Amino acid sequence: MITEFVGNLFCPPEPGHVFVISGKTTDAAMRLDIDFLASKDVDANCLLQISIHFHKDVVVRNSRINNEWGEPETSENLDTVAGVRPLVEGQRFRLCILVTETNFMIAFNDTPFCTYAFRGETSEIKTLRITKDLQYVNQVDHRRCYPSPRPLVWLNDDYHSFSNDVPKKFMAGHAMVVKAIPFGNPKGRFTVTFFENETKKQAFHFNARFDEMRVVRNSTNDKLVFREEESNGEFPFVFDQQFKMAIALSLTHFLVAIDGKRFCTYKYRTQNQFEALNGFKIFCLEQMRLEVASIDHIYTGSPTCAEFESFSNPDVELF
């Protein structure tokens, strides 16, 4: 599938933050754009655009402030080991962007490439957008590496189908809105998992089983053994059809809504649950695939997450 990704970040980037973005371009890719924006509005300021022109062997860096593009950089501030062609069309890529006090430090596939000096306030950055010849994106991690790392352990494995780490602890009232399409094996499964800190302990295990037409919710104890599962409720997903799911964090429960309707709640099994959460991972099983089109982080305005279901309504745009 050919796609694009757009989503609102957990928070604006700060010095010491790093973004890790992974995905794959199409086989005949001509261009890939990664934009850090003030909002999803078409005229929003773009504080950083990284534009890979495969057919020209060039990576263009630029900013658009008040609807005016600045002077593009192509050969400026390159690292001594930077090559002219850091990515190859049709292959997987990993882009790392470290935020310092004065600039972005950019690396492709773990190799330093260039720096780009700020041309505006990074506190204005709210949205990430990836467009052009993108086949899929499977990692949009926003992490903190200074003064202390968060998460403590960074995983860059290929086992997950999507990864979304966050750089700070959650607060009651926070919601994550996922827009995705399940495809591949119509009898497969996908799981949304919130791990606790650097452990494999699962605070919330949301397992959509298309083969059984039910959704299992569970968590693991300190010995990594699953507890008694919950699976009440009608199966809310349709194979090969986009869904919009909101997962909200109340004072006491994970709350889930799908396509505008409350689906389930799951009580926290760990004290001080917010201290232990770093984001979530999505795993696909039995040859199912999940094309993730967006992840939006939103504060609902209430620690009880009142009316959070509206964020999952397909007709509601999240700006």
Side-chain angles (χ1 to χ4, degrees):
M1 294 186 179
I2 298 175
T3 186
E4 71 173 28
F5 178 92
V6 60
N8 291 324
L9 301 173
F10 179 87
C11 64
E14 302 172 6
H17 285 195
V18 62
F19 292 91
V20 183
I21 301 166
S22 297
K24 184 180 179 182
T25 57
T26 58
D27 290 340
M30 299 284 284
R31 180 170 167 178
L32 179 68
D33 286 355
I34 299 97
D35 298 330
F36 287 85
L37 304 155
S39 74
K40 293 181 181 178
D41 188 86
V42 65
D43 295 323
N45 284 347
C46 178
L47 282 299
L48 170 64
Q49 180 182 82
I50 302 171
S51 183
I52 299 97
H53 296 249
F54 293 93
H55 61 301
K56 296 181 180 178
D57 289 339
V58 66
V59 177
V60 181
R61 291 86 65 193
N62 207 343
S63 300
R64 183 185 64 212
I65 308 297
N66 297 327
N67 280 322
E68 291 189 7
W69 286 100
E71 188 68 24
E73 296 183 9
T74 56
S75 58
E76 297 81 358
N77 303 311
L78 293 180
D79 193 271
T80 55
V81 299
V84 296
R85 190 175 175 82
L87 300 184
V88 178
E89 58 268 35
Q91 294 187 7
R92 288 187 51 122
F93 67 86
R94 181 160 64 243
L95 169 65
C96 295
I97 304 170
L98 173 65
V99 183
T100 74
E101 294 282 355
T102 58
N103 59 30
F104 301 100
M105 300 181 67
I106 300 167
F108 291 100
N109 296 333
D110 301 323
T111 300
F113 184 76
C114 72
T115 61
Y116 182 80
F118 300 154
R119 297 187 185 180
E121 297 295 330
T122 57
S123 59
E124 189 179 352
I125 296 175
K126 303 293 194 305
T127 301
L128 171 67
R129 183 177 63 200
I130 309 171
T131 55
K132 299 296 189 289
D133 300 321
L134 178 71
Q135 184 168 330
Y136 65 78
V137 58
N138 71 315
Q139 181 179 18
V140 177
D141 286 333
H142 180 183
R143 300 164 172 167
R144 186 180 68 203
C145 61
Y146 180 83
S148 60
R150 187 178 181 92
L152 293 175
V153 175
W154 298 352
L155 298 176
N156 287 320
D157 56 70
D158 293 332
Y159 181 60
H160 59 253
S161 298
F162 198 92
S163 175
N164 191 232
D165 292 340
V166 298
K168 300 180 179 181
K169 71 177 182 178
F170 289 104
M171 296 176 59
H174 190 90
M176 292 140 281
V177 183
V178 181
K179 192 183 295 183
I181 300 175
F183 67 104
N185 179 14
K187 297 297 183 181
R189 303 178 178 187
F190 73 83
T191 303
V192 181
T193 304
F194 288 78
F195 290 103
E196 293 195 359
N197 294 320
E198 71 277 17
T199 72
K200 290 297 183 181
K201 182 180 178 182
Q202 299 184 39
F204 186 39
H205 174 95
F206 183 94
N207 182 216
R209 302 179 179 181
F210 285 74
D211 54 333
E212 299 177 357
M213 298 298 286
R214 68 190 185 111
V215 178
V216 172
R217 288 86 69 190
N218 212 331
S219 59
T220 57
N221 60 25
D222 290 337
K223 296 183 179 179
L224 306 185
V225 176
F226 277 109
R227 309 172 196 269
E228 184 176 353
E229 67 182 34
E230 301 176 8
S231 61
N232 58 301
E234 295 185 4
F235 192 72
F237 302 105
V238 178
F239 180 74
D240 210 23
Q241 181 173 307
Q242 187 176 78
F243 64 85
K244 192 176 180 184
M245 177 169 65
I247 303 175
L249 306 176
S250 75
L251 292 166
T252 56
H253 289 74
F254 291 96
L255 313 176
V256 181
I258 300 169
D259 293 334
K261 298 180 180 179
R262 174 77 70 98
F263 177 70
C264 70
T265 65
Y266 189 83
K267 188 175 181 178
Y268 302 147
R269 302 302 201 267
T270 299
Q271 292 184 344
N272 301 320
Q273 185 68 89
F274 298 123
E275 297 288 342
L277 300 179
N278 299 312
F280 65 91
K281 313 288 183 186
I282 299 176
F283 302 90
C284 291
L285 304 170
E286 307 298 334
Q287 298 182 328
M288 171 160 277
R289 297 283 302 278
L290 203 67
E291 180 184 284
V292 178
S294 68
I295 303 286
D296 284 303
H297 287 271
I298 298 172
Y299 182 65
T300 63
S302 165
T304 63
C305 304
E307 300 182 358
F308 85 100
E309 297 90 346
S310 64
F311 296 127
S312 71
N313 188 322
D315 297 326
V316 173
E317 292 293 333
L318 303 175
F319 290 100

